[in-house]
Amino acid sequence: MFGLYEVVKCLSVKDSDSSEQSIVNYAWREAGEVNFLALVASTGDIILRYCCSGHDPVISHIPWPESRSIVCLCFDPTVSWLLVISEDVTVSIVPVLSLMDSTAKVNRLWNLEDVTVLRFKRQQGIPSVVTWWHTLDDRQIAIIGMKNGNILLVDLSTRKMVHQFTLETRIHKLELVEDDQQMSTYLMITGQPLVQWKLLLECRTQELAMPVDKEISDMGYDGLSGRSLPILSITQVTEETRGLFQPQKLDQFPRSVILQPQCAKGHHFITSHCSKESTFQVYDSNIDRSPLFAYKLPIGSDIVILTDKVLLAMTRLASGKKLYVIANQRAETSMDQTKDFNKDAVLQQFDIPQNEHLLTIQKKSFPFYWHEKCEENMRQKYNQDIKLGLTSSGSWQPGLTMSHDIQLTNHTVLDGCIIITDSSVYEMKPRISPERLFLELTFYSESAHVENLGIGLGLDVNTLYEKSAEYLLQRGHVAQAIKFCKVVKSTSYKLVMYLAKYGYVADAISHLTLALSNREISTADRKHVSNLYLHCMVYQLQDGDMETNQKALINFLVTDFYYEEKQALDLLAEHNLNEALLELAMARGLVLEALEILVQKGHIGLEPCHIRKLIEKGFAHHLIRASNGVLLDGLTPNSLVVLFCEKPILAFHNYTKLVPYIEDIETPVLEKLCEIFDPSQSYLGSHLGRQLLYSRRRRGSVSSMTSISSEGDTNTEMETFPDISELIGFFFTLVLHLNKRLDSPTAEDLIMMKPKAVVKKARKSDVKLRKRKLKYQMKLVSCGAQHVGVVRNGDLYTWGRASNGRLGQGDLVPDNPTLVPCRVDTLHQLQIKVISVSCGGEHTVALTHQGVYSWGSSLYGQVGVGTRHMYSRPMLVNFGHHCISVVCGLFHTLALTHDNQVYSWGWGVHGQLGHGDPEDQLTPKRIEALSDKQITAVSGGYCHTLALSSLGEIWVFGCGYFGQLGIGHTTKQSVPVKMEKIPHKVKMIATKYFHNVAVTIHNVVYNWGCHPYNLRLNAHAVRRARQAGTAVSDPVERFLVPEIVDTSFVHGRIVKASCGKSHTCLVTLDGDVYTWGRNMDGQIGNNSRQDVKTASMVTSINDKHTIHISSGGEFNVAMDSEYSLWVWGKNEFGQVAVTIHNVVYNWGCHPYNLRLNAHAVRRARQAGTAVSDPVERFLVPEIVDTSFVHGRIVKASCGKSHTCLVTLDGDVYTWGRNMDGQIGNNSRQDVLGLDPTDPGRRLRPSSNMKEQLIPTRCTALPSVKPLQSRHLMLSRSRSSSSDDELLFLIIHKNIEGCVKIYSEIALLKNNTILHDFVPHIPESDDGDFVQSLCCFDYFGYTRDLQSDVGVKNSRCVVLTILEHLPGVCNCLKLLRTYVDHQDWLSAAYICLHQTNYSQALSFHLAALSHYKSSLDSRFTEVSKTVVQNYIRLCVDHKSSATEKEEVYRILLLQIMKFWDKMTWKMFYRHQLCFGELDHLDENLHMSRRSSSSEPNAVVFTCGHNYTRQIFMEEIMTKFEKEITDGHTKLEKCGSILMQYYQRPGMLCVACPKCVVNALHN
């Protein structure tokens, strides 16, 4: 026996004379946690016992008039009223709940302060029993049974008798029988002797009145639902329904069987108790069906109560009255078994006092927290006794045992009962929960006895044994704990988990090894075992032989494939096992994750052996990417250099880490670094040219259609690369240190002739730059709330919801259909090519070469044509400005022009139009507040607008109630305000409804704003948290300002962003798509409906290279690089246009048709024909022949025996039975196949379309034609055509085309290209474009820097780079660096580039002095050449006379100082400089003369100028001699040039000296 229950006496009945009085009648009822007991004493009074959970019972005595002696009583279903019946059929309604609990709320149907008495005409007979019936139509009926067999139905509200009938027996008991669906109510009538009837009181269906077809009933088709039909009640009997409400005698059961309605497990049952065979059967509410359960009872069982877990059986034998608690599962038997009662089923028994007469036992329920409350009270009493010193902390309080130290999360609460005798009332209530008792018995009893309890009550025996085992392990009882785990055959991983948890690692490893060797272990268990084995090995590694155990650990990590790899990485990093960690990472491709974990754990100092191994295995790039290169800080200089030499591209991003160690790097390694950072080599050179091209301030060419890629993508690529000027500065530093070590310049280096220019620019250098204009911002895909627009081959295709004309398909489309992708024919017929499209809530806007077209609903003026009508075809918006982008909010529209002006129109009540007022705008209006902000992008939401400036600033306006403005408060802004919450420059913005996304130039994503629905969910969560006592901040605050989005799983540069209703999408430069947010309709694209909180990759299209994406309400449309569309998400209006094949399946059959088929089969078999069973072909789906169906099927409908289909074209197809003309073919003949009916009747397609949980390719659009600009991309073998093409691109200043075509031509030619094209560039263009192209030509593809300067990594590279890249070199910073390192020759090169000849000569002479010993005999010659060169530079330099005098003076001082230092003889003076100084002196004198009428100066575009006398006598003489007798002869052109040079004034050519030098070169 088990002590599950205890019996306590609730009350005892005695009169005032202390002699026992008896209980003669009773009433009991429960409703939730409230129960009432009413007792009728032999004195005639009523005793009430009221009990509510959590409160002490209340007992009250109600005196009752002797004139109205009580014969029967009952409670109403709500336990608010007590119905008392007297002998004279006087009905008394007592408000017991209001009397016992004044705070209770009771529906005032009758008097709440006193008894309501209802008197009726005296009936024949005396009442014997009563029950309260609350009808389905909310009427209160008292059913009174009389001793003479009469049954009265009295309406207690109207105080009228509504029905009565008579049975030929004494009425002993009346019970209501209900079903679970509340479809019907029966009255179970028990008479004396034991005869029972069933009477229908009410039902919701009249099918019961119809005769049942036996053939249909045999096939199981008689259970038809009639819940929607009116209620039929016995209180309103008609002639048609009179037969329904007649008592039916239950004569199918023997006399020894008693039927009784009972409730258990949340269902209504009818139980049958056979006292003869001691069996107990359970039926559902229909006793005509087979029983659900059958139980065997003890002999002599009289009263039986069915509960969820146990049976309560009262026996009456000669030995006495006993109450048995019987386990359901142990007592259960089958109908055909005649075995005896299973005594093991008895869990507990109680004896009823022999001197008391048992009246009844009634079921009593207890609340679900019953045991938790009892244990809490016992613990409080225990703690109080300890404080008072009544007990010690080591001893156990009665009721508390060792098992109470084990925490239980769930207690099973068993139902008890109320035992009513003639003198007392007892309550049998749970003493301890079955789970707690089971744990208690495991410590002291045999396992078989304990298992009997667990199995009998259906407990989770395994979990309870495991809890006991864990408890024993805590106290060191390992053997007994293992025994418990083996008793229940616990999985190995749980046993080992407990062993490892409490420090028994050796025992755990032995069990794990045994478990891993078992091949029959399940995959799930093997995963758990492997994880535990890994933990145990790591734990053991700390104490045992490190080397041996680590080898075993690495072997396990590499060979086992069941443990959690990410968990293993964390574990190894936590215990500093870097070698094992990296081995695992390299074996499983988790190197980046492993390095990230090391950084998080603070382990940034990797051993050199680990670095070498990673580089050798090809994981050098991972070292750089891990936590933005933090691991590189812990590397030695040599390890860094080895890493960069292995992966040169990594050196560009991390060169700063080498700066502190340059002096320590070996010379060969330094030379290797110079090769890597050489701007004319490999990737750096090409990227340098591209950056120069893209960084120039060029004019916008909005009319150019030769651009293939978008500027945004190019700018994104430029942003990912380090600053070119910094890289070139680092290259200069490398060259400095390398030359300092070699320290052996040649004589040519010291002479330092000026390098040749790549291109001679034949134009002015001071051209004023024009203001840059924006180019087209093409959106090939756009999603509205419930429709989509896609640009394909210059045409626009739309689909989705077509209401309000938003698809632009004209008036032929019905009011609210769903359409598949269709071309907007209006634009196509007008030959209007669409550039970009944007979809709003109920309107669409298209940007074309002919202007802006708009259509759809214009309720708020969002179409922009000046009215509020609806337009189903495109309408031209009278814009008047060159628009380059159109963007739709939900009910307003934005436009951006090429000169950075923003226009808005449509809904403006929240200020989202930015005009300073809440008025709607029916036509475009410029936002004046943004006119000077250089806006480059706009985005519209539900009722707010974002604008992005060229400086990376965000301007916001509109409604901010849900944080969509991101300015820290919720007020509206009708004029643009700057949002200053993002500290970095923003390059991209996106919004659609209420939340916004911004991406900075550093690839950081910010998010602000929240959809009201999500905000409400957050508010509910916060409210619940606060009610639980948790301090939670206001959920609105976190959405009022931008917060950084976790993009740790986003790899690559973000180039696109899109917002839906409650989700967000990102696209990276690699074409990967990342999504996060709500996912109820599959809009995340991860094949589930679970919300995603962090950005995760849409893996199903990660190989498609997405280039465009747009989000609607709960769906997305993406376009890949091959222009294929991928759609996923909500599809209730067909906005996710997926091609659906017209395959129709059919299964099942109407019983009538099945019977006809059965008759036909029977006749065929009688005729000797072999025919299969007709039922089989209807049991599984079979394909219907739809060969006559033309078009896509969009709707289907089934009748009783016929079917209809509707296609997208509106045609209807039918087949099936046609006795009543339902096929619609003007006949009554059945149609076995599809038959098209009148195609003129068009129906609306169905909108019940299935959402797509993963991206699915949309094949409903035509294929993409070759781009019009692809005619420019000619074959590489046709160099002449490519030259023409490049010239075309240069003239039109198409950057992208230049880069693409130039790279092809450069592969064919080894010399400079652009000098052939520069003369063709228009004179009005800015000079920086040509300069950028020249640098791109030199450093990008055609030139080698080292071959140009002659000596590898010599100092001449400094001057060469300065000459070709003047805009990217910081000369002052570079000069300081070289002077600090006393590299005088390089410093001279820099000053020479700055035309600071005097300072350059000073540095150059210092270099000559430093390298005098290395020049030996050539020192004098080299010095003479250097001085002469500088003097010529000063003479030829174009400057004022005053400036030349100052330069000349400083030059002479430096030369004289150098002479004194070198102790030269004076005769070198004339040899060094007198020839050139004479020319300088003449120039100075001539510049002071007043200008005569005849020009005395000859000026050339090369910058040189002469007096006419010197030019004619010396320069022309030498030039004529050179072109006639020199190395360069110009036989035909020489005379023309001589005549041209005779002209006075400025000549638009170079001087003869420069021409000769150019010819020589």
Side-chain angles (χ1 to χ4, degrees), residues 213 277 483 741 765 822 1028 1106 1211 1339:
D213 189 326
E277 297 180 359
K483 177 183 175 182
R741 292 184 186 182
S765 60
C822 296
T1106 302
D1211 297 334
F1339 290 99

Side-chain angles (χ1 to χ4, degrees), residues 18 206 255-256 987 1136 1235:
S18 298
Q206 56 186 355
R255 298 288 295 266
S256 60
K987 67 175 182 180
V1136 179
D1235 179 49

Side-chain angles (χ1 to χ4, degrees), residues 786-788 799-801 818-821 1115 1130-1138 1192 1246-1249:
Q786 296 164 337
H787 72 292
V788 182
W799 65 90
R801 189 172 186 178
T818 296
L819 292 186
V820 295
F1115 67 99
K1130 197 171 186 179
N1131 194 27
E1132 83 276 34
F1133 293 102
Q1135 59 267 48
V1136 179
V1138 181
R1192 180 181 178 185
S1246 169
S1247 63
N1248 185 19
M1249 299 186 180

Side-chain angles (χ1 to χ4, degrees), residues 133 136 179 182-186 200-209 226-227 229-234 241 244-245:
W133 173 32
L136 295 176
D179 59 359
Q182 295 185 352
M183 297 290 294
S184 60
T185 305
Y186 288 86
L200 177 64
L201 296 178
E202 60 182 347
C203 65
R204 291 183 183 272
T205 175
Q206 56 186 355
E207 292 286 341
L208 297 176
R227 188 177 180 85
L229 296 176
I231 298 174
L232 302 180
S233 176
I234 196 173
T241 62
L244 285 173
F245 304 105

Side-chain angles (χ1 to χ4, degrees), residues 70 306 523 661 883 937 1229 1319 1496:
I70 300 174
L306 175 67
T523 302
Y661 310 111
C883 181
Q1229 188 175 358
N1496 193 36

